[in-house]
Amino acid sequence: MAATKVLVVDDDLNIQRVLVFTLKQEGYEVVVASDGAAGVEMAKSESPDLILMDVAMPRLDGYAATQQIRAAESGVHVPIIMLTSEADVEQRVKGLRAGADDDIVKPFHPLELIARIKALLARSGGGSASARSETHALGRMCLFYGAKGGVGTTTIAIAQDLKRRTALIDANLQFGDHRVFMDLGLDTASMVNAITEADLDADLLKRLMVKHRSGIELLLAPPSPADADIVVERQRNDPGSLSNLLSLLRKAYDYTLIDMAKTIEDFNLQLFDEADLIFVIMTADLSCLKNVRLVLETMDSLGYERSKVQLVLNRSNAYTGINIRNAESALGRKIDYQVINEYRGAIGALNSGEPFMSSRPDGLLGQSVVAFAREVDRQFAAEPATARG
């Protein structure tokens, strides 16, 4: 696990040296800002686990800096200890009102400071920022299901990597292609390792996730069709093994995005049941519309609420002779999201092994997918998280 990072914000060089030495002796990673304004910027860029904030500083004092840090927070509360020069009740109250969690009077004994830091980290969830993000993960699970081959399911799923912590799961067990599209080797871990592990826990799952150079974390499909049979057999004999895997993913990530095969069998049915949303990816052509109608009828027969199954029209600006209004009329329901057509950008990303969201984020396709992702994120973030086992 990464060392706990402490941001020291103090303009006194002697105090800086003492704090850096004391903290490093305890195994903490230390970064330093010499005034309040720099402290605010480093709180954003360095993502510290705790901040030691001096009160009297040039440019921006500790109270104002603390207020700005609190105002900029989005989800994760970073503990702040104010370093004051006087044991004054008014100063302490002012610091607490600004958003500080604790205070300590200078000069202080290093043992007291370390004790305060450890106690505050313990109360706030402790440890590194990654551990806290796991504790406060949104825990949402979305499936991407293609109504027919070649509608761009994989491309859209890969492109969904938000500023949230996101996992991408290749659940096309026999013919998953993320390994190829992301330019990853055959010797990397896969779904086989995760679902056959009798004692799978969060730490082991983290080691099985493959991190792409773009920052996306993946759980890959089995490397061969024969290995896919191992996963299917394990799920059939012990559905709880898949439930445990999905539960661990929910706890570790804000979003778990699952790119699925088109078959409907026991493995996929369990994924359908446990997901929060099922995105049916489609294009506006007759054969796909026929398949979408069958998919929607199947989802109805499985008893899913209509809001759980949402339609995504990919290549929405491609000319097929069927416009969006015609498609909605044929399906008897509204298309929930649209993603535009930019063939060169998508095929170039697939052939290079670099998701277009990292290689061409400002392109038309990237902007369209970002709009889709942000709308989904906005809806999920506004809802209370569903408790899962």
Side-chain angles (χ1 to χ4, degrees), residues 110-236:
L111 290 178
E112 181 187 1
L113 175 65
I114 296 302
R116 294 283 189 97
I117 289 173
K118 289 182 177 180
L120 190 51
L121 285 172
R123 293 200 302 270
S124 65
S128 65
S130 61
R132 290 203 312 275
S133 69
E134 289 176 8
T135 303
H136 298 286
L138 281 176
R140 303 304 192 178
M141 187 166 292
C142 305
L143 307 188
F144 291 79
Y145 183 84
K148 72 167 190 174
V151 298
T153 313
T154 301
T155 300
I156 290 178
I158 288 175
Q160 289 302 299
D161 185 46
L162 304 169
K163 296 302 181 183
R164 304 278 191 181
R165 190 168 184 209
T166 306
L168 179 59
I169 314 303
D170 191 348
N172 187 344
L173 299 180
Q174 287 192 312
F175 302 107
D177 44 24
H178 293 186
R179 193 184 299 272
V180 175
F181 288 157
M182 305 293 275
D183 194 23
L184 301 167
L186 289 174
D187 57 345
T188 46
S190 75
M191 178 80 72
V192 177
N193 306 96
I195 202 167
T196 58
E197 176 56 52
D199 299 312
L200 184 68
D201 59 16
D203 290 336
L204 179 54
L205 176 61
K206 186 175 182 180
R207 293 196 294 271
L208 295 176
M209 300 297 291
V210 178
K211 191 162 186 177
H212 185 262
R213 58 183 175 271
S214 65
I216 297 173
E217 294 184 59
L218 303 101
L219 184 60
L220 296 170
S224 71
D227 289 325
D229 293 338
I230 299 173
V231 178
V232 171
E233 190 66 20
R234 172 69 169 166
Q235 185 275 336
R236 183 177 295 125

Side-chain angles (χ1 to χ4, degrees), residues 5-7 31 42-44 46-51 78 129 132:
K5 184 187 291 187
V6 178
L7 169 60
V31 290
M42 291 188 73
K44 297 176 185 175
E46 293 292 337
S47 299
D49 302 295
L50 182 138
I51 300 172
V78 180
R132 290 203 312 275

Side-chain angles (χ1 to χ4, degrees), residues 23-24 30 33 50-51 57 59 95-96 110-112 124 154 171 185 211 221 223 269 344 349 373 386:
L23 294 166
K24 285 189 173 181
V30 186
L50 182 138
I51 300 172
M57 291 182 292
R59 294 182 65 193
L96 294 172
L111 290 178
E112 181 187 1
S124 65
T154 301
K211 191 162 186 177
L269 285 172
R344 287 184 179 180
T386 304

Side-chain angles (χ1 to χ4, degrees), residues 274-302:
E274 300 207 25
D276 297 304
L277 274 183
I278 300 168
F279 291 113
V280 178
I281 314 298
M282 58 173 288
T283 52
D285 59 81
L286 284 176
S287 62
C288 192
L289 289 174
K290 172 187 70 72
N291 289 351
V292 171
R293 290 192 64 171
L294 293 174
V295 169
L296 293 177
E297 289 172 4
T298 300
M299 297 300 174
D300 284 341
S301 68
L302 292 171

Side-chain angles (χ1 to χ4, degrees), residues 142-148 150-162 166-169 177-178 181-182 216 218 255-260 278-284 288 310-317 335-342 345-347 349-350 354-358 364-374 376:
C142 305
L143 307 188
F144 291 79
Y145 183 84
K148 72 167 190 174
V151 298
T153 313
T154 301
T155 300
I156 290 178
I158 288 175
Q160 289 302 299
D161 185 46
L162 304 169
T166 306
L168 179 59
I169 314 303
D177 44 24
H178 293 186
F181 288 157
M182 305 293 275
I216 297 173
L218 303 101
Y255 288 104
T256 299
L257 308 175
I258 303 179
D259 192 9
M260 298 183 63
I278 300 168
F279 291 113
V280 178
I281 314 298
M282 58 173 288
T283 52
C288 192
Q310 301 195 5
L311 300 181
V312 182
L313 179 61
N314 196 18
R315 303 169 193 155
S316 61
N317 58 331
I335 291 172
D336 300 279
Y337 303 98
Q338 298 177 39
V339 176
I340 70 164
N341 182 46
E342 189 187 26
I347 201 66
L350 294 179
E354 190 70 26
F356 62 78
M357 292 306 295
S358 57
L364 293 176
L365 180 56
Q367 292 176 23
S368 180
V369 172
V370 165
F372 168 37
R374 285 179 177 167
V376 173

